[in-house]
Amino acid sequence: MRVPVQEQGGLDPRTMFENAREIWLEIGFGGGEHVSGQAARHPDVGILASEVFIEGVAKLLGQIEDAGLENVRLWEEDAREMVTGLKAGSIDRAFILFPDPWHKVRHHKRRLIQSDFLDDLARVMKPDGRVRFATDVRSYADEALEKFLAHPAFEWTATCADDWRNAPEDHIQTRYQTKNLGDIAPVYYDFLCS
Ligand SMILES: C[S@@+](CC[C@H](N)C(=O)[O-])C[C@H]1O[C@@H](n2cnc3c(N)ncnc32)[C@H](O)[C@@H]1O
């Protein structure tokens, strides 16, 4: 079930899911509720799921076994290594839901959403692929939006405030989200890739 990341940019995820309609990616899945929920709803989609927290990986494995899911593959190391290892234009959808906020200003550089990472993400996304970013931390919401908007590969699809302040219809609530640890109501940014 492990994503066989080996060499830079060489992994075509289609080789793991031969008949998949689309390939999706989730980074930092925590307790795995969103991955397993989406995998159950979309058995014709292959999902690459990454999480460094081993208890989270164990939880998702339990959910996969209980639900008999066959369309999830796991990467239990830094998601950035997996992204680097994927073939260009191989991902249809990516989810980054409530990533670690790193509240202190001097720690903001540890946040996942950095220009270099967005370059890597843009490379692996298909043209017309979609990326969803969610957070409940105001400074991260502002910083991430600024970085996505500054990147030529990502176009924000929101046309009114309800598009980002209401949970999208296809969103599945995550465990972390229910703890309400942030300082704002969750925001959901959907981007279209070019
Ligand atoms: C705040 S939690 C949110 C988890 C989940 N998305 C949710 O909403 O319940 C962020 C998660 O991202 C994971 N994480 C942080 N950096 C990561 C990385 N570079 N690669 C993979 N997972 C990472 C952490 O271990 C943590 O479980």
Side-chain angles (χ1 to χ4, degrees):
M1 294 192 60
R2 191 169 196 256
V3 179
V5 173
Q6 281 168 354
E7 59 193 67
Q8 288 227 332
L11 179 63
D12 181 353
R14 292 235 155 240
T15 56
M16 287 175 266
F17 310 100
E18 276 178 16
N19 300 315
R21 174 175 62 81
E22 289 192 350
I23 307 292
W24 295 1
L25 169 71
E26 183 164 332
I27 292 177
F29 59 72
E33 310 81 22
H34 185 269
V35 172
S36 58
Q38 295 289 4
R41 280 185 193 175
H42 304 282
D44 54 349
V45 165
I47 305 185
L48 308 179
S50 169
E51 173 56 61
V52 290
F53 175 54
I54 199 70
E55 282 85 347
V57 174
K59 276 193 186 143
L60 178 56
L61 282 170
Q63 293 156 19
I64 288 171
E65 193 168 83
D66 291 347
L69 301 173
E70 294 182 352
N71 55 336
V72 180
R73 299 292 180 275
L74 294 165
W75 177 249
E76 81 285 18
E77 294 178 47
D78 191 333
R80 290 167 290 199
E81 286 173 30
M82 180 175 74
V83 171
T84 308
L86 291 172
K87 190 179 151 189
S90 59
I91 301 296
D92 296 272
R93 287 195 82 177
F95 296 91
I96 304 167
L97 304 175
F98 305 93
D100 286 336
W102 296 107
H103 290 285
K104 291 181 183 162
V105 173
R106 70 172 188 278
H107 290 159
H108 284 186
K109 56 182 179 294
R110 298 185 190 175
R111 288 175 168 173
L112 180 69
I113 304 302
Q114 304 292 343
S115 306
D116 287 357
F117 173 70
L118 292 186
D119 286 343
D120 287 343
L121 185 62
R123 186 188 66 81
V124 301
M125 296 305 298
K126 275 194 182 156
D128 292 334
R130 288 167 297 157
V131 174
R132 176 168 298 156
F133 171 89
T135 185
D136 58 2
V137 174
R138 180 182 295 271
S139 68
Y140 206 175
D142 292 346
E143 186 189 349
L145 185 60
E146 199 179 307
K147 291 206 159 103
F148 272 109
L149 292 180
H151 199 290
F154 300 101
E155 183 190 337
W156 193 20
T157 60
T159 56
C160 62
D162 281 352
D163 288 347
W164 53 264
R165 67 183 172 197
N166 292 340
E169 271 179 24
D170 61 351
H171 177 64
I172 294 172
Q173 225 185 23
T174 70
R175 203 170 108 75
Y176 180 85
Q177 171 177 8
T178 60
K179 295 182 183 170
N180 294 318
L181 296 174
D183 55 359
I184 53 170
V187 298
Y188 306 85
Y189 298 149
D190 279 348
F191 300 96
L192 189 64
C193 306
S194 55

